[in-house]
Amino acid sequence: MLNKLAILVYATQLLTAQSAEPITAADRERAISYLQQTRQQYVDLLSSVNEAQWKYKASPERWSIAECAEHIALTEDEIHNGMRKNLDRPRPDSEALAKARAKDDRIIPEILDRSKKREAPPQIRPTGRWVSKDETLKNFLASRDRVIEYMRTTQDDLYGHLGGHATLGPITTYQWYIALSAHTQRHLEQAAEVTREPGYPR
């Protein structure tokens, strides 16, 4: 019985290894480049605002730059940790993976489309967790640099696992890392809108 179980485990591991597809150099560079680009945009935004601008709200229901920045920072670890755990789940069938990978060109445009309003889950809503702009930046950079290093070195099966997205449905782990950068860009654009409000401090 033990030998049969060992053979079954070995066969499962062998099948998984044979099915896994290493991330291509082009995809790795694409993900890293977008992560670095949006990292710099985040740094540039925070470097350009003073304390009054940082906290300004156009209305009670709209986010300040500080709240946009906090939400972005909180989302980093939420997505990265979730995707790492997702890699431990069984590999979906090839049809499900193919359907997800066909969404490559939709990831960025759909996430950047701010005509589709979505409410953030409670764990990543801004609540003033960090007392200053510098502390917010420090937390974001620590998380983003961890993600960039992971993407630079990972040999994980990023094409072979799926995670559900609120608007895109099931997408691959690799696509989620593209979505992470797009999410940053989305909320940086939201923060930029704050700076164009008539009451924004000059």
Side-chain angles (χ1 to χ4, degrees):
M1 178 67 180
L2 183 61
N3 287 340
K4 288 182 179 179
L5 180 60
I7 291 171
L8 179 61
V9 170
Y10 174 76
T12 301
Q13 292 173 337
L14 182 61
L15 180 61
T16 300
Q18 290 174 337
S19 301
E21 180 183 351
I23 185 173
T24 67
D27 275 351
R28 191 186 300 274
E29 178 55 34
R30 178 189 178 213
I32 292 171
S33 178
Y34 198 16
L35 286 163
Q36 290 175 330
Q37 172 193 324
T38 49
R39 177 191 188 279
Q40 187 59 50
Q41 289 170 343
Y42 186 99
V43 171
D44 291 344
L45 172 70
L46 269 63
S47 300
S48 69
V49 298
N50 60 35
E51 191 66 16
Q53 294 167 336
W54 174 246
K55 295 180 177 179
Y56 170 78
K57 291 173 70 77
S59 62
E61 70 277 3
R62 293 178 63 186
W63 284 0
S64 63
I65 293 175
E67 289 170 320
C68 292
E70 180 185 348
H71 172 66
I72 292 170
L74 291 170
T75 303
E76 292 289 306
D77 283 339
E78 182 74 12
I79 291 178
H80 183 50
N81 293 339
M83 289 305 101
R84 296 296 300 276
K85 290 177 182 177
N86 199 43
L87 292 169
D88 294 332
R89 296 177 181 173
R91 220 171 185 269
D93 62 56
S94 57
E95 182 179 356
L97 291 173
K99 286 181 179 178
R101 294 183 69 171
K103 300 174 186 177
D104 270 357
D105 292 339
R106 293 173 49 196
I107 304 294
I108 296 175
E110 291 202 21
I111 291 176
L112 294 186
D113 181 5
R114 295 192 52 247
S115 68
K116 301 174 182 177
K117 302 298 182 182
R118 297 186 290 274
E119 187 172 356
Q123 67 272 22
I124 53 175
R125 289 178 195 159
T127 59
R129 287 166 178 81
W130 300 303
V131 298
S132 68
K133 181 176 66 171
D134 288 345
E135 192 176 351
T136 304
L137 178 59
K138 178 183 176 181
N139 278 272
F140 168 78
L141 290 177
S143 297
R144 175 55 63 92
D145 290 348
R146 189 159 47 243
V147 172
I148 290 173
E149 182 60 21
Y150 171 76
M151 186 56 62
R152 196 188 307 280
T153 60
T154 185
Q155 298 300 317
D156 289 338
D157 183 19
L158 302 189
Y159 302 136
H161 296 271
L162 303 178
H165 187 274
T167 57
L168 290 156
I171 58 176
T172 67
T173 304
Y174 174 77
Q175 289 170 327
W176 262 105
Y177 282 100
I178 299 298
L180 176 60
S181 291
H183 174 269
T184 301
Q185 186 177 348
R186 174 189 177 93
H187 288 285
L188 288 174
E189 291 177 2
Q190 180 182 1
E193 288 180 1
V194 176
T195 70
R196 297 191 288 270
E197 290 291 333
Y200 182 71
R202 304 299 170 185

